[in-house]
């Protein structure tokens, strides 16, 4: 006997990323989108029509004019919240108070205290909290972990290096919400650095670093932004025996690599956040060998390619679909998994510590 129960979703806010997740919900067999809310019902309707033209649903969701109206519905189990970070806390708390499960876009708050309030509200309400980092749900991570721990490819991990960047056109730098300090005060650090910090934490099995440093390399803002926001940022996380760096930027064209180095070799992922188009996700390990025979100096590459069968996007196997499948599964089981809010809090904490360091000219910040 098959179980055809579905987690009933509402989208609170019609941000661009919600269009991708419309499709993710459509591909997740245990999820159903029932309503989309905007402050203006006409905007919600436009969002629905635009998405349905490309990915039609068996039943079109309702267009709701007002966020409170969405939260008052008894046919919604979970809320996907893609509002700007500066507006998110108020509505995250209201989602929890309404007894709805919360999938929250990242960075989840403008401060650690805000995210702590969200998580505590969800705990009191007995609802699931999770952030929207899609790569956490990819099958590729399990394969990476397998290779990391095979004792011959990497050996003892010593160094992690990550970068996530894109070159933003002028209209982005002068108009986008990520360039307004009231809406997205952490700029590229919150938008891109969050992923890099999360990957480092995943690689370290969520061990806390001893200390962090951060450097604000560039900053600017929209003409109506009260303060500039980071547009180029680098950071360092220092663990016992392992160091990790990240670079994030709106000023450097597309790169999204993660590189793990150890006593025996290294591993690199060239697309750890947004997989390159295709039906397989991969990474490369290297155990280069240097030989010297008198005058003949030779470096041999010795690479191995590893893959998993998984579409990059827009498919039932894609990582964004697996995010909604995992979250919906928890809701339908009536369970909450504390792992997800715990790693959100740790990611936010380290991001804020890196920002504090940058504000203090790169001073090392101890993580207690």
């Amino acid at each position: 006997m098959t179980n055809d129960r579905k987690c009933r979703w509402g989208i609170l806010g019609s941000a661009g990323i919600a269009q991708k997740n419309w499709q993710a919900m459509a591909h997740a067999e245990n999820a159903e989108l029932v309503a989309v809310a905007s402050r203006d019902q006409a905007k919600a309707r436009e969002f629905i029509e635009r998405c349905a033209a490309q990915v039609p649903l068996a039943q079109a969701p309702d267009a709701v004019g007002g966020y409170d109206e969405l939260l008052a519905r008894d046919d919604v189990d979970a809320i996907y919240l893609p509002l700007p970070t500066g507006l998110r806390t108020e509505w995250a708390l209201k989602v929890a108070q309404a007894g709805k499960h919360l999938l929250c876009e990242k960075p989840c708050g403008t401060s650690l205290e805000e995210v702590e309030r969200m998580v505590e509200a969800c705990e009191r309400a007995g609802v699931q909290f999770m952030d929207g980092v899609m790569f956490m749900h990819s099958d590729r991570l399990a394969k990476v972990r397998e290779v990391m721990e095979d004792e011959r490819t990497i050996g003892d991990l010593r160094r992690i290096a990550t970068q996530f960047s894109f070159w933003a056109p002028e209209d982005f730098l002068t108009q986008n919400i990520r360039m307004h300090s009231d809406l997205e005060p952490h700029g590229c650090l919150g938008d891109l650095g969050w992923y890099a910090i999360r990957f480092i934490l995943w690689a370290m099995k969520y061990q806390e670093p001893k200390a962090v440093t951060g450097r604000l390399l560039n900053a600017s803002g929209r003409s109506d932004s009260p303060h500039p926001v980071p547009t180029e940022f680098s950071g360092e996380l220092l663990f016992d025996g392992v160091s990790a760096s990240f670079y994030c930027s709106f000023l450097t064209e597309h790169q999204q690599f993660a590189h793990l180095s150890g006593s025996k070799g290294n591993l690199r992922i060239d697309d750890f956040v947004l997989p390159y188009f295709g039906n397989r996700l991969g990474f490369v390990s290297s155990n280069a060998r240097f030989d010297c025979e008198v005058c003949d100096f030779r470096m041999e590459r010795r690479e191995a390619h590893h893959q998993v069968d998984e579409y990059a996007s827009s498919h039932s196997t894609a990582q964004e679909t697996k995010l909604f499948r995992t979250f919906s599964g928890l809701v339908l089981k009536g369970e909450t998994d504390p792992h997800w809010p715990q790693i959100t809090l740790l990611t936010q904490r380290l991001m804020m510590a890196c920002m504090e360091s940058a504000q203090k000219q790169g001073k090392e910040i101890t993580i207690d």
Side-chain angles (χ1 to χ4, degrees), residues 184-199:
E184 298 294 347
H186 308 304
C188 69
L189 176 60
D191 188 41
L192 308 175
W194 179 280
Y195 293 101
I197 294 170
R198 173 61 58 81
F199 182 86

Side-chain angles (χ1 to χ4, degrees), residues 254-319:
H254 289 297
Q255 286 192 79
Q256 43 165 338
F257 66 75
H259 196 172
L260 306 172
S261 302
S263 58
K264 295 183 179 180
N266 62 81
L267 178 158
R268 76 174 188 270
I269 310 171
D270 292 328
D271 56 350
F272 81 97
V273 181
L274 298 169
Y276 290 134
F277 183 78
N279 62 358
R280 288 183 176 178
L281 307 190
F283 59 95
V284 178
S285 61
S286 174
N287 296 92
R289 178 175 174 179
F290 175 72
D291 284 326
C292 176
E293 297 177 8
V294 190
C295 298
D296 188 7
F297 286 57
R298 184 172 59 253
M299 180 71 78
E300 297 177 2
R301 187 182 299 271
R302 298 198 178 187
E303 290 185 341
H305 293 257
H306 311 265
Q307 293 182 325
V308 295
D309 292 326
E310 178 176 313
Y311 277 76
S313 62
S314 308
H315 193 267
S316 62
T317 66
Q319 60 188 22

